[in-house]
Amino acid sequence: MPHHTPLIATLAVGLVLAFVFGTLAARLRLPPLAGYLLAGVICGPFTPGFVADQSLSVEISEIGVILLMFGVGLHFSLKDLMAVKFIAIPGAIVQIAVATLLGMGLAWWMDWSLGAGLVFGLALSVASTVVLLRALEERHLMDSKRGRIAVGWLIVEDLVMVLALVLLPALSGMLGGKAEEGADGNLAFDLLLTLGKVTAFIVLMLVVGRRVVPWLLAKVAGTGSRELFTLAVLAIAMGIAFGSAKLFDVSFALGAFFAGMVLNESELSHEAAENSLPLRDAFAVLFFVSVGMLFNPAILVQHPWPVLGTFLVIIVGKSIAATLIVLVFRHPLSTALTISASLAQIGEFSFILASLGVGLELLPEEGRDLILAGAILSIMVNPLLFLAIDRLQPWLERREGHRLKGGTHHAADVDEPPPITERDHAILIGHGRVGRLVSNRLRELGIPLVVIEDGRDQIADLRESGFSAVLGNAAKQDVLERAQVKQARWLLIAIPNGFEAGEIAQYARSVNPGLEIMARAHFDAEVDHLQHRGADLVIMGEREIARSMIAHITDDIDPHARTDGAPDGQPDNEPDGHPNAA
């Protein structure tokens, strides 16, 4: 190699291996996360071949943690939690306690310290957000009662882990680990000092941040520059995370989480999430690769019984606890099994806790290896648990249908999304700034409308406003089918992603040849792509602005002149020959 470029080598090899093994995992119907972890194992120091730079990997993983936690905060929904608070809050707390005690018992069997057992148990108690949401989305459960309970439960778990990340450094000395820098040995004082700093940071964010951050984002959006807007979102995430660590001694993770929460207050939060998603996804992948690099596969052979015990705590212990808790709250068995399967895996918070525990000298490196082994195995087995539930579903439906008639359960326990009854209707994909204008006008005209949106908060608001709505990504064929695309008359694609819009248009055209498809575009290439995929009308903002300006000038010169923006004597086409593009 002509130049010594460890950063480029680490990024390039990590991303390439993540792509290869992530794709392989997806082909095997496993979460890609398992592939990313395996990619890290392959380029780690414990396997032959290329070894990535460990120190750089740690820094890259820190950026991954910041952006992951920023994403968690950006999608944090108090409304989701409050809708199922009577089961999600007590259920999640009891399940965390049970799983933590089981982990501590396993740690005691391995002669670890109390502090090691506490970190180990906490790491085994929290499910992966990525894996859980994907599993629910694949089975169209996000919009069901059991899906909402699972999401609310996950929110509580995440909040408890955020609290653990705050308190562990202050409690480390007492638990047998390395005392926090600057601590004077007085536990009560150290704890109060930590809570005081965290409280000051939270108050600053809630009082000042929730006003300044949305205002700043709105000002940047007013410039019309997409790259400046995306840069502003990332600067807010990284700047608040770094500033909170330097000024208030709180973790990067907590700072990024509150940056996301504050940004969620803005009307532009949906655009912020969408624009920052590619970079968040890329660094999330690198985070999981970096975590995989720390895993020593030899532990599977050298310590098989602790690995098995860890796996059983995650798969069996947590599942039984969650099932019993949900049944105690008198919910159906199908709800209990869905929630228990959703939580029967561990992921990103577990890795963050494990890294913190090792850094504080609370958790031995063997504990981190066990957590990683448990994560990889549980993520691989998790789809099989859902497959088993799918096989049981006919029996569960017959059983619960019978019990429902007998009055054992309320209908709300087994509710599903409201059915779509519209026919000869319009389907609107995306309910951002453009989508809201379209939906309001269609309602005024009395045209039946179904909105497809992938944000849970937006779906709830739409239904409260009286719209029929489908939760999901319209690029997935079954989501369009749930919106009754075969019976629709118009399809309006208001999302700014040209690639996804093209996939949507192509499938919609294949199942409903008479459908009139309209889409938006930002570039000439997107216009070509969308028309090639079946769109009848593609509207590009810049062309529409130019058309309106020319129409206004021609009106001033000659009120009887054409107002469609085309010069006299020429067909009403765009310069590049697209008659349907606007």
Side-chain angles (χ1 to χ4, degrees):
M1 185 178 289
H3 303 288
H4 182 62
T5 54
L7 176 60
I8 294 175
T10 300
L11 289 172
V13 174
L15 288 172
V16 169
L17 288 176
F19 169 71
V20 171
F21 287 101
T23 302
L24 181 61
R27 291 293 298 272
L28 297 173
R29 301 187 67 80
L30 294 171
L33 192 153
Y36 307 152
L37 291 170
L38 185 57
V41 175
I42 298 297
C43 63
F46 303 105
T47 52
F50 174 82
V51 176
D53 189 297
Q54 291 288 96
S55 59
L56 285 175
S57 297
V58 170
E59 296 247 3
I60 291 169
S61 70
E62 285 286 2
I63 298 174
V65 168
I66 290 171
L67 294 177
L68 270 171
M69 293 301 296
F70 176 66
V72 172
L74 199 55
H75 292 98
F76 177 80
S77 173
L78 194 60
K79 185 186 294 184
D80 281 349
L81 178 56
M82 289 299 101
V84 291
K85 61 182 181 292
F86 294 114
I87 180 171
I89 295 176
I93 291 172
V94 172
Q95 181 252 302
I96 289 171
V98 170
T100 302
L101 289 173
L102 289 172
M104 292 176 72
L106 185 58
W108 174 79
W109 176 68
M110 293 185 287
D111 292 325
W112 290 359
S113 68
L114 175 65
L118 179 62
V119 174
F120 186 64
L122 284 171
L124 300 187
S125 72
V126 59
S128 164
T129 303
V130 176
V131 176
L132 185 147
L133 293 182
R134 173 174 171 159
L136 294 178
E137 284 170 355
E138 283 184 346
R139 288 157 183 83
H140 317 305
L141 295 172
M142 290 288 290
D143 211 13
S144 66
K145 181 74 173 180
R146 44 192 164 153
R148 290 194 292 274
I149 292 173
V151 170
W153 197 299
L154 182 69
I155 290 170
V156 178
E157 285 191 349
D158 287 353
L159 289 175
V160 172
M161 293 308 123
V162 168
L163 184 62
L165 291 174
V166 170
L167 295 179
L168 272 177
L171 297 172
S172 176
M174 183 193 75
L175 294 172
K178 182 173 65 176
E180 189 178 18
E181 191 174 334
D184 64 358
N186 186 324
L187 176 62
F189 176 78
D190 293 341
L191 199 57
L192 284 173
L193 183 62
T194 298
L195 291 175
K197 290 176 180 178
V198 172
T199 302
F201 168 68
I202 292 173
V203 169
L204 181 67
M205 290 300 294
L206 295 180
V207 174
V208 179
R210 70 188 305 180
R211 290 178 172 82
V212 172
V213 170
W215 172 83
L216 176 63
L217 208 59
K219 288 292 183 184
V220 175
T223 66
S225 171
R226 187 190 301 181
E227 57 266 34
L228 269 181
F229 183 80
T230 302
L231 185 60
V233 173
L234 296 173
I236 288 167
M238 300 296 292
I240 290 178
F242 182 76
S244 63
K246 287 296 181 183
L247 298 176
F248 296 95
D249 289 330
V250 303
S251 66
F252 288 140
L254 183 66
F257 175 75
F258 271 92
M261 277 188 64
V262 168
L263 199 54
N264 197 20
E265 297 283 323
S266 168
E267 292 182 357
L268 297 168
S269 61
H270 190 68
E271 287 82 358
E274 193 171 82
N275 284 20
S276 63
L277 185 60
L279 192 64
R280 287 192 286 121
D281 281 349
F283 273 97
V285 169
L286 289 170
F287 166 72
F288 292 120
V289 171
S290 300
V291 168
M293 287 172 58
L294 301 172
F295 177 58
N296 185 357
I299 196 170
L300 299 172
V301 177
Q302 295 171 355
H303 303 287
W305 295 116
V307 170
L308 179 61
T310 303
F311 175 74
L312 291 176
V313 169
I314 298 167
I315 295 292
V316 179
K318 285 173 64 178
S319 296
I320 291 175
T323 301
L324 292 176
I325 292 165
V326 176
L327 291 176
V328 164
F329 279 86
R330 300 183 62 77
H331 285 269
L333 182 59
S334 61
T335 300
L337 292 177
T338 299
I339 292 170
S340 63
S342 301
L343 301 171
Q345 37 76 22
I346 59 174
E348 50 275 10
F349 260 118
S350 307
F351 307 144
I352 296 170
L353 276 169
S355 296
L356 178 64
V358 172
L360 293 172
E361 299 177 4
L362 280 171
L363 185 71
E365 292 193 2
E366 180 190 346
R368 182 176 59 196
D369 287 339
L370 288 175
I371 289 168
L372 289 168
I376 293 171
L377 293 173
S378 64
I379 289 169
M380 294 177 70
V381 168
N382 195 251
L384 300 178
L385 299 179
F386 275 103
L387 183 62
I389 294 173
D390 291 342
R391 294 287 177 86
L392 285 173
Q393 199 59 37
W395 175 78
L396 290 169
E397 288 175 357
R398 289 195 301 271
R399 177 180 181 273
E400 288 167 9
H402 174 72
R403 297 189 70 180
L404 190 61
K405 290 176 184 176
T408 307
H409 297 303
H410 297 293
D413 291 329
V414 290
D415 76 338
E416 297 297 334
I420 302 301
T421 57
E422 282 79 4
R423 297 294 183 271
D424 199 30
H425 58 292
I427 297 175
L428 171 63
I429 298 171
H431 205 253
R433 286 176 293 176
V434 174
R436 282 192 289 271
L437 293 171
V438 172
S439 64
N440 289 334
R441 183 58 180 148
L442 291 180
R443 169 178 273 181
E444 290 172 4
L445 295 172
I447 294 174
L449 174 67
V450 176
V451 181
I452 298 178
E453 184 40 84
D454 61 1
R456 296 190 303 276
D457 288 345
Q458 290 94 323
I459 286 289
D461 292 340
L462 282 164
R463 288 180 181 152
E464 287 176 7
S465 301
F467 289 104
S468 291
V470 173
L471 175 64
N473 186 339
K476 295 180 179 178
Q477 297 175 2
D478 53 301
V479 174
L480 277 174
E481 289 170 1
R482 281 187 281 147
Q484 304 296 334
V485 67
K486 292 178 182 178
Q487 285 76 39
R489 183 173 174 184
W490 301 280
L491 177 65
L492 302 97
I493 307 175
I495 58 173
N497 187 319
F499 176 77
E500 279 194 0
E503 298 300 304
I504 294 165
Q506 184 177 38
Y507 176 71
R509 174 68 67 218
S510 69
V511 298
N512 187 346
L515 186 67
E516 187 170 351
I517 301 175
M518 290 156 272
R520 62 185 283 195
H522 290 288
F523 311 105
D524 289 335
E526 285 186 348
V527 175
D528 289 332
H529 174 70
L530 288 163
Q531 289 182 328
H532 180 69
R533 293 284 178 157
D536 297 294
L537 174 67
V538 183
I539 300 171
M540 196 169 99
E542 290 81 355
R543 293 180 179 179
E544 191 64 28
I545 292 167
R547 195 183 282 269
S548 298
M549 286 179 174
I550 293 171
H552 186 73
I553 290 172
T554 55
D555 277 347
D556 283 346
I557 296 172
D558 182 0
H560 302 292
R562 296 176 58 186
T563 58
D564 56 10
D568 289 341
Q570 293 186 19
D572 185 16
N573 287 354
E574 290 297 334
D576 56 5
H578 297 304
N580 291 324

